[in-house]
Amino acid sequence: MQIYNEPPSLGKLRRGLYRCRMALLRVAACQLLTSPDPSVSVVAVLEWMENARETGCDVVAFPEACLCGYAAGDDYWRQAQPVPFLEAEQRVQEAARKLHLAVVLGTVHWEDGEGPFNSLLAVDRDGLVRGRYSKIHLAESWPLPGRSLPVYELASVASCFLVCHDIRYPELVRLPAAVGARICYYCSNESGLLSEQKLSAYRAMPISRATENSIFLIMANAPANAHDLHSSSQSHGNSMIVHPDGRVLAEAGHFTEQLVVADIELSEATGQLARRAVDDDTILHDWMRAGVRLVQNGDQGDDRS
């Protein structure tokens, strides 16, 4: 995995944007409820992948930890093992290759004997894994924090990632956008409708991350469960696709299980504001350039789970 040793020049960024000019991408956020059992949850994921492809989508994103229904109990995690998650991920890879559909999957993984990590798996249209992103800022006790800030080429577009509570830390989008990310995939399982005081911020933050960086943001959140509003496996819905100017192009309701779909014009994601934050001659100039060096470019694919 290559690490940027210095911030890319404006010329490099512009050359990257040229490749995106006049390119349309059909993106989807899947809002669904899942089970603590990965072998059960993956069946629902595969069905929604087929629906996404039938709708003509190039990429579909799923909610945070959707392979385990965002199971939060300590007993669950004391007994959890990597194999069921790996097997479910492999089924998603096979389906992605068959459907020619890129996927951002909310999952859990273990790495070098450590874990679990609350992570996203980025699978490209050829079924190859571009990499993982592990949640950095935790709001739960069971996972370990992620230690990398990657940009992956997914569906031929430089992309960055957030998991739930990460949305409250703007630099996690600003720095990848400054080095060329043009889409942010934000996968969450936020507090539910009973946490009414949080709902306005939940809607504002994804819009802010898109418009303050001049990139698209795709938010896949779990819906509310009308039969159990206290369950940890449900949230408040409102999955959305946000334009770089802050317009919400498509948005789900609170309770529906559905795909939120939009066609996005990639040339409209310029990353201009993120780039200015690094390049402008301000008191933060050196600090921002140092931050950019932390971004990892993991655009090479492999078939590892």
Side-chain angles (χ1 to χ4, degrees), residues 26 28 45-60 62 95-103 125 259 261:
R26 179 163 290 183
V45 168
L46 296 175
E47 290 176 355
W48 281 106
M49 286 175 63
E50 291 185 1
N51 290 342
R53 195 66 191 114
E54 290 172 1
T55 310
C57 294
D58 299 294
V59 190
V60 59
F62 290 91
R97 181 169 53 249
K98 176 183 176 181
L99 297 170
H100 196 60
L101 176 71
V103 179
R125 292 178 285 194
L259 291 173
V261 180

Side-chain angles (χ1 to χ4, degrees), residues 134-183:
S134 296
K135 187 175 185 177
I136 291 175
H137 290 285
L138 303 179
E140 56 277 289
S141 60
W142 54 266
L144 295 177
R147 297 296 183 186
S148 64
L149 190 59
V151 172
Y152 300 126
E153 293 279 341
L154 193 64
S156 302
V157 182
S159 304
C160 63
F161 308 86
L162 295 175
V163 177
C164 204
H165 191 66
D166 286 336
I167 194 73
R168 297 177 180 272
Y169 302 88
E171 63 277 6
L172 298 184
V173 185
R174 172 58 50 89
L175 297 175
V179 303
R182 293 298 172 256
I183 299 176

Side-chain angles (χ1 to χ4, degrees), residues 199-272:
L199 296 181
S200 59
Y202 281 158
R203 192 168 194 276
M205 288 185 288
I207 297 170
S208 295
R209 297 299 86 83
T211 191
E212 70 198 12
N213 292 296
S214 310
I215 67 173
F216 287 98
L217 184 140
I218 317 303
M219 173 186 173
N221 190 35
N225 184 344
H227 303 292
D228 186 1
L229 290 177
H230 294 277
S231 169
S232 65
S233 296
Q234 58 94 53
S235 182
H236 63 86
N238 295 137
S239 298
M240 66 177 75
I241 298 170
V242 187
H243 188 275
D245 65 11
R247 284 178 290 141
V248 177
L249 301 177
E251 184 173 8
H254 293 307
F255 294 98
T256 53
E257 293 187 86
Q258 67 174 98
L259 291 173
V260 179
V261 180
D263 292 325
I264 61 174
E265 172 55 69
L266 295 172
S267 66
E268 295 172 353
T270 66
Q272 178 186 19

Side-chain angles (χ1 to χ4, degrees), residues 110-115 117 144:
W110 287 252
E111 190 172 304
D112 299 326
E114 294 187 336
F117 294 89
L144 295 177

